[in-house]
Amino acid sequence: MLPKAYEPQEVEKKLAEKWQNAHLFAAKTDKNKKPFVIVIPPPNITGVLHMGHALNNTLQDVLIRSHRMFGEEALWVPGTDHGGIATQNVIEKKLAKEQHKSRHDLGREEFVKTVWNWYDECGNAIFTQFRKMGWALDLSDIRFTMDEKRAQAVFECFKQWWEKKYIYRGKRLINWCVRCSTALSDIEVEHEQHAGKLWHLRYKGEDGSEGIIIATTRPETIYADAAIAVNPKDERFKNLVGKKVIIPLANRAIPIIADEAVEMEFGTGALKITPAHDATDYEVGKRHNLPIMTVINDKGKMINCPEKYLGMDREVCRKETVKDLEEAGLLIKEEKYNNAVSTCYRCHSAIEPFMSEQWFVKMDKLAAPAIKAAETGELQFHPASWKTPFVNWLKNLQDWCISRQIWWGHRIPVWYCRECSKNGLTFAKDQQGKEQLTKVSFEDGAKPIVSFNKPAQCPHCHGHDLVQDPDVLDTWFSSSLWPMSVFGWPENTPDMQYFYPSSTLVTGYEILYLWVARMVMTGLDFTGKLPFKDVYLNGIVRDKSGQKMSKSKGNVIDPLDMTAKYGTDAVRFSLLMQAVPGKDIPYSEDSITGARNFCNKLYNASRFILMNMQGINGPLSMPEKVTELADVWILDRFATAIKTAREGIKNYNLALTANTLYHFLWDDFCDWYIELAKQRFQTAEKEKVMALCVHILYETLKALHPLIPFVTEEIATSLKPFVGTTEEFLLNEKYPECNASWFNADAQAKMTVIQGVTKEIRTIRAQFNVPPTLKITTVVSAKNEADLDTVKSYEDYIKLMTKTDTLTVGINQAKPRQTATATFDKLTIYVPLTGLIDFDKERKRLEKEITLANANIVSREARLKQENFLKHAPQEQIDKTRGELAAAQLALAQAQSSLEDLK
């Protein structure tokens, strides 16, 4: 027997340990079974569980559990990502806080050793949190993007791409993070709106004329200007093209050129072109063969500029330059301007476009097969609307900058002979006095030797003094190999043969380009197969107002806090109920309360059924034939629910599955079937009814198990003796099948009438505050006898569900005096109120409701007529007001109708 109250914390701890100890989630190669595989988007080793993890991993968990119950060999591969810049930043902050040291105080080798030590102690801590969520991960074998097997995969990828000439080293304008001191790829750069300024500056003519006025957001870069550009169609500047002007404060002449990239509407229509410090300018510079000058170095300090500004921070230089321009009479105007500033996706510092020699991957040949797979439908997106942006992004893909100037990560597997490459290598001593390779220049003669380990000798001069490239690979380089490397690639292991390609990737849409696209390209390039055929992109969990959760806004909901308060199943189910494909989730604690109530409803209904099983010995057989309408109807409802639930899983619409099973269990089974079946618990039909109850309940538990595994497993343990199963875990049972023979349109139609009449009578009771203990008299009337058949045949159902003592059913029945009236379809329903309520008291209550409803209507209508409100209020506030107006209008109509009934 189940305890009186469900205590989720006790049950969850017990079952989480039991599942892991039994290796319940382990999978093996089984040629007799179809594999279903998901590789987890590996969380960073410094990560802590947040609502994004809670949603994404719950979706994966539902799919894994469901497909295991479908009879497939389901494997969910766990692992962590080394995190590159993110992890290095965390450890650097930890060092500064605890030891007051920087990574340079430790030196490279010692710092990397410190990170590894931290990983050995804490690197898998997030999986302790994952275990609490009940996710079906076999935690006895956790992969890591920097373990030995994954390192071999990274080297093999680099070597093959080097040999194919996909990987090259070149000097280009790249994204540089001054704070992290590293290059970033284009998709690691975020664009944030900043309230900045637009400065209008005069560049005087070399011939002494007034020259031209340009507009810029970065006056500190004028010292690197190579030209002024105007649009060739702009009549204002036609006579100036080809002439030269003088850079303010720098006294250097530059030409005025014409280029279609210039937007005539921006600023003055004339732009300064600074190829070394702006991506668009870089492309303009290439078209016009302009010189490239760098005036901001990798530390964000000024170089190659007038002496006054040398060594200044770029932000300080901006202020000083503006001040000096104003004093020189060359600052024409300063205005507020909101512009999109490129920032580092990790530290959010402003990105500096920077000319630098880096390692790149050519993307055109890699992208082509991925584009084809998406366009032909071989690669499917859920929702399908993501296909077009995915293809468009690949078609416009720039070469991938893969080198990072940090210490934590996969070291570039390239070595240099100090003798053969001496002109292309720059060394400096670190704070420990050790000589370190700090810069590599292929332009100056560095000769690369690609090798996983240090070569025994130089292949050119046979010398032994070799040093490794100082850079590490972009974190996403190793992540792009994840679906293959987790199974042992480049070796053709049994796991690789059986489990690759995986089935589905479940991830957030925000890393579609950062990660998903790259996995597709690498998978196709190395194996000729897609790494997965379905990409299921979930939305972002936002606060209830639709705002992104952040600590600074104070709107973060911690999933661990919520699981401690409401239980894990409640948190999972609250997310699943709202996981509509293609939609972000507006989330609040109210959502979890509703899900908690559902879990309690399931538990209490199960306990009620078990309490009524006294005197019955199991196992009970499912009745071969049922004739009672309620029995026929509940089987129809169950078959329909299972059909829809399965469709939801198959089509990656888990909100459909969750909501379908919610309404079946709460509405159909608990609120209707059990209530109707109660009266038969004390009759000769008891065992037959109880057999139906326990079998439908047990099958519903199995259907719900992938969604809410803890409470279903706990309840199922008590039901097993009555359904005749010896299987210890629900996960090892078969998911319910839809029995098409149970569909019954006639039963459904009859119950629709019964439910409709019942709900109208219940509404009357509620509107007039009829005490629940009082029995009522009800009259149901219609114009035709046929319309009354169902009510007459099942009047006992209606009387039971509405607490009706006398039910009169007939054609054209007269309306009794002081009667509440309702209609359903072709039926008119009368409930005489005499003796049930205090009429004077009820009239006064209704009059107050009418007054309040009118006041609410007037205030909401007035607000919705305000142009200022409609123009500036957030859309959700406008929608809320419209909803309040509709609710007030409905309340008014109901109150007026009820008052009329009292006459």
Side-chain angles (χ1 to χ4, degrees), residues 592-705:
I592 312 174
T593 304
R596 189 267 317 272
N597 293 344
F598 174 73
C599 293
N600 286 340
K601 181 84 169 181
L602 173 62
Y603 185 86
N604 292 333
S606 303
R607 189 169 181 275
F608 174 77
I609 288 170
L610 285 165
M611 285 171 61
N612 282 278
M613 293 296 291
Q614 291 179 2
I616 297 177
N617 295 318
L620 297 176
S621 298
M622 187 73 171
E624 290 183 11
K625 185 178 181 182
V626 294
T627 55
E628 180 69 35
L629 175 63
D631 299 345
V632 176
W633 172 78
I634 197 61
L635 290 175
D636 170 89
R637 294 292 79 214
F638 177 70
T640 302
I642 293 303
K643 181 176 183 288
T644 307
R646 278 179 163 269
E647 287 171 355
I649 296 166
K650 180 183 176 183
N651 298 323
Y652 300 98
N653 186 349
L654 299 184
L656 175 63
T657 299
N659 283 282
T660 296
L661 294 174
Y662 173 97
H663 289 295
F664 170 75
L665 186 284
W666 192 302
D667 300 336
D668 298 337
F669 188 67
C670 292
D671 286 359
W672 285 95
Y673 183 70
I674 290 180
E675 291 301 316
L676 288 171
K678 276 181 188 177
Q679 61 183 344
R680 297 154 68 198
F681 285 1
Q682 309 305 321
T683 70
E685 285 194 294
K686 177 178 180 177
E687 191 163 313
K688 180 180 180 180
V689 176
M690 297 313 298
L692 265 174
C693 282
V694 295
H695 277 280
I696 291 173
L697 176 58
Y698 193 77
E699 292 299 303
T700 305
L701 290 176
K702 289 199 294 185
L704 280 165
H705 181 66

Side-chain angles (χ1 to χ4, degrees), residues 93-296:
K93 288 176 183 177
K94 188 172 183 288
L95 275 175
K97 184 179 179 181
E98 296 176 3
Q99 300 180 34
H100 306 291
K101 290 182 178 180
S102 72
R103 62 184 166 108
H104 299 286
D105 293 325
L106 270 65
R108 182 167 192 152
E109 289 181 16
E110 194 60 34
F111 178 78
V112 170
K113 190 185 294 182
T114 298
V115 184
W116 271 112
N117 289 340
W118 183 90
Y119 168 72
D120 291 338
E121 292 176 18
C122 310
N124 288 329
I126 194 167
F127 281 101
T128 303
Q129 300 170 337
F130 280 19
R131 181 196 293 246
K132 292 179 181 178
M133 297 297 293
W135 293 326
L137 291 156
D138 179 13
L139 300 180
S140 65
D141 186 13
I142 299 174
R143 283 76 159 174
F144 178 43
T145 54
M146 270 184 65
D147 62 26
E148 187 63 27
K149 287 182 180 178
R150 266 42 73 179
Q152 287 289 347
V154 166
F155 171 69
E156 185 65 24
C157 173
F158 189 97
K159 181 169 75 75
Q160 287 195 34
W161 280 356
W162 173 258
E163 290 168 353
K164 291 178 180 178
K165 294 185 169 46
Y166 290 177
I167 286 181
Y168 67 94
R169 187 172 173 88
K171 193 169 187 178
R172 288 179 47 183
L173 190 73
I174 51 97
N175 305 296
W176 184 265
C177 177
V178 171
R179 155 66 183 79
C180 298
S181 294
T182 185
L184 298 173
S185 67
D186 289 344
I187 49 178
E188 289 173 306
V189 175
E190 295 180 344
H191 303 281
E192 301 174 359
Q193 286 295 321
H194 278 231
K197 290 183 179 179
L198 189 64
W199 289 275
H200 294 241
L201 314 179
R202 182 179 297 282
Y203 285 54
K204 289 195 172 181
E206 187 183 38
D207 57 5
S209 66
E210 288 298 296
I212 197 168
I213 298 171
I214 63 97
T216 181
T217 59
R218 299 200 66 190
E220 72 278 12
T221 63
I222 61 173
Y223 314 111
D225 287 354
I228 300 297
V230 297
N231 193 294
K233 297 176 183 176
D234 198 328
E235 295 291 334
R236 293 172 294 176
F237 306 113
K238 214 162 193 176
N239 296 329
L240 293 177
V241 174
K243 294 184 177 180
K244 288 189 174 183
V245 290
I246 304 298
I247 300 173
L249 308 181
N251 298 319
R252 179 165 55 84
I254 55 174
I256 297 175
I257 62 173
D259 194 282
E260 290 185 350
V262 179
E263 295 178 16
M264 291 187 282
E265 298 78 19
F266 176 79
T268 64
L271 294 181
K272 66 188 210 63
I273 302 301
T274 318
H277 294 286
D278 183 271
T280 302
D281 292 5
Y282 179 69
E283 295 301 323
V284 173
K286 283 200 296 185
R287 285 197 291 274
H288 295 270
N289 198 26
L290 298 175
I292 298 175
M293 275 186 62
T294 299
V295 294
I296 300 173

